[in-house]
Amino acid sequence: MDVASLSLEQIRDRVARRPPTRRLIRLLEEDPRSGVRALAGQVEKHYRKVLAERRRMRRILALERRLWAEGVSRVAGVDEVGVGPLAGPVVAAAVVFEPGVFIAEVDDSKRVDPERREALAEEIRARARGVGIGVAEVEEIDELNVYHAALMAMRRAVLDLDEAPQRVLVDARRIPDLEMPQQAVNSGDRRHFSIAAASIVAKTHRDRLMRRLDRRFPEYGFASHKGYSTPQHQQAIRRLGPSPIHRRYAFVRELAGDCSPEYRELKRRLDEESSPQELAAIRRDFRNTAGLSPQEARRLQQLLSRHARRYPGPEQLSLL
């Protein structure tokens, strides 16, 4: 680029249409015009971001590249979303790329803003060798519990692929009843490209489902909170009771006032307890209490463990 012969606006236009380079930055820095030198600082900032993204992409592609080099060309990354909400399904995605493909800015879906996430999901679907979707409905979550329902959704996502993968990469767990080899990787949605891509596809797919469900049940605000336990959502459950797409969690029933007297009393005592001795007494009574539903018992067990963590050392161990 002949910087000296161009106006500042022409330079801006050309800079916007080409990737930044160290040579371009040097040319802009050497220009006598203050506006061009100021532009050099902006270009350098962008250049550093580009370099950082390239380094990150090399890091998160390392496992896939090693497998591709070994001849394992069909590598599926698998992830799920929707374990935490009070309503709606769990959705999983499986994504396979051709060897050598990468997409800048692909990351754990929770670290990508919604607008960019939607654009990335479209690009992933356009450039992937295969995309599979698996859904576990609310009835299956209630029957199996959410952990096992999520595994079911992930298995369905893998089986939804047009071609069976040669290797399956899963975020922090193993999917039961899969014939192909699989590998569980901790923090996979942040550390591995294909799992991060799957998390984006799963998240955008579930968000669309929740917006659709919002049209059926507009009073609950599913389009905004996507079924998660926000104050707005909790208030809607208190006011309206649970909808057909709410999970039959003890907490949901508690919000709706539909829980056993035994649960209500133990929960009240937990809310008011202020010492390890009181907590130990509540735990003893919990173990001896009949009339709790399985969901209520699980919820109380979670709350008891959470309260026990407030007391350090030997006292905590005696309460767990």
Side-chain angles (χ1 to χ4, degrees):
M1 183 191 302
D2 185 5
V3 174
S5 66
L6 300 173
S7 70
L8 178 57
E9 288 308 311
Q10 288 174 320
I11 295 170
R12 287 184 188 279
D13 180 63
R14 296 199 181 188
V15 164
R17 290 188 284 110
R18 62 169 61 189
T21 64
R22 175 54 62 188
R23 181 174 181 276
L24 173 61
I25 295 167
R26 188 170 63 252
L27 287 172
L28 298 176
E29 288 174 336
E30 293 171 353
D31 193 275
R33 290 167 289 182
S34 61
V36 176
R37 292 197 302 273
L39 180 61
Q42 298 171 25
V43 173
E44 182 169 17
K45 185 177 180 181
H46 179 51
Y47 178 67
R48 289 177 179 173
K49 287 180 65 177
V50 169
L51 288 182
E53 177 62 12
R54 287 175 182 167
R55 287 193 294 270
R56 189 186 71 86
M57 292 305 297
R58 282 197 296 270
R59 187 171 65 251
I60 70 171
L61 271 167
L63 178 56
E64 284 88 344
R65 282 176 170 165
R66 178 172 62 78
L67 292 169
W68 292 336
E70 293 172 358
V72 184
S73 62
R74 298 192 305 278
V75 179
V78 184
D79 201 13
E80 47 70 25
V81 297
V83 168
L86 305 179
V90 173
V91 174
V95 178
V96 179
F97 291 101
E98 292 285 358
V101 170
F102 77 94
I103 300 170
E105 298 183 47
V106 165
D107 200 349
D108 173 12
S109 62
K110 294 184 290 296
R111 294 154 62 98
V112 183
D113 69 72
E115 185 176 346
R116 183 62 184 142
R117 196 162 56 216
E118 291 288 344
L120 282 171
E122 289 186 20
E123 187 173 359
I124 290 165
R125 287 179 175 276
R127 299 182 62 186
R129 178 172 179 165
V131 173
I133 296 292
V135 178
E137 301 292 353
V138 171
E139 295 80 9
E140 294 170 315
I141 295 169
D142 291 337
E143 179 183 353
L144 299 173
N145 78 41
V146 71
Y147 176 82
H148 289 97
L151 292 175
M152 174 187 289
M154 288 192 286
R155 181 174 183 273
R156 288 170 175 170
V158 174
L159 297 179
D160 190 50
L161 291 166
D162 291 336
E163 292 181 283
Q166 296 167 288
R167 184 72 55 85
V168 176
L169 306 180
V170 192
D171 186 13
R173 69 197 80 181
R174 293 183 64 82
I175 304 170
D177 303 320
L178 276 186
E179 296 180 0
M180 63 284 295
Q182 57 180 302
Q183 185 172 340
V185 286
N186 291 328
S187 301
D189 49 4
R190 295 188 181 192
R191 295 171 55 192
H192 299 289
F193 173 67
S194 56
I195 300 178
S199 79
I200 289 172
V201 171
K203 173 62 175 170
T204 54
H205 186 91
R206 186 179 188 277
D207 284 355
R208 282 193 290 272
L209 290 180
M210 295 308 296
R211 287 193 291 270
R212 232 176 277 161
L213 289 167
D214 182 71
R215 293 194 289 270
R216 287 178 55 195
F217 308 102
E219 305 90 348
Y220 292 91
F222 292 129
S224 61
H225 55 65
K226 308 300 187 297
Y228 284 86
S229 184
T230 64
Q232 171 201 5
H233 189 189
Q234 292 182 26
Q235 185 57 40
I237 297 171
R238 289 189 184 98
R239 188 175 71 253
L240 304 166
S243 74
I245 65 162
H246 277 94
R247 303 170 187 179
R248 294 184 61 80
Y249 290 165
F251 181 56
V252 172
R253 295 174 62 191
E254 178 188 343
L255 288 171
D258 179 23
C259 53
S260 67
E262 293 86 353
Y263 176 87
R264 193 177 294 113
E265 174 60 17
L266 287 167
K267 177 67 167 50
R268 181 195 63 76
R269 289 172 61 190
L270 271 172
D271 290 341
E272 297 175 359
E273 70 85 9
S274 59
S275 71
Q277 292 75 23
E278 288 181 13
L279 185 58
I282 296 168
R283 180 175 289 280
R284 284 194 300 272
D285 291 344
F286 163 68
R287 289 172 175 165
N288 295 325
T289 297
L292 296 171
S293 71
Q295 294 88 352
E296 289 174 339
R298 279 197 298 270
R299 173 67 175 164
L300 285 170
Q301 185 64 61
Q302 292 169 353
L303 293 172
L304 284 162
S305 297
R306 193 177 303 164
H307 279 245
R309 286 195 288 271
R310 297 194 318 224
Y311 303 109
E315 286 182 336
Q316 181 186 114
L317 291 176
S318 68
L319 292 167
L320 292 174

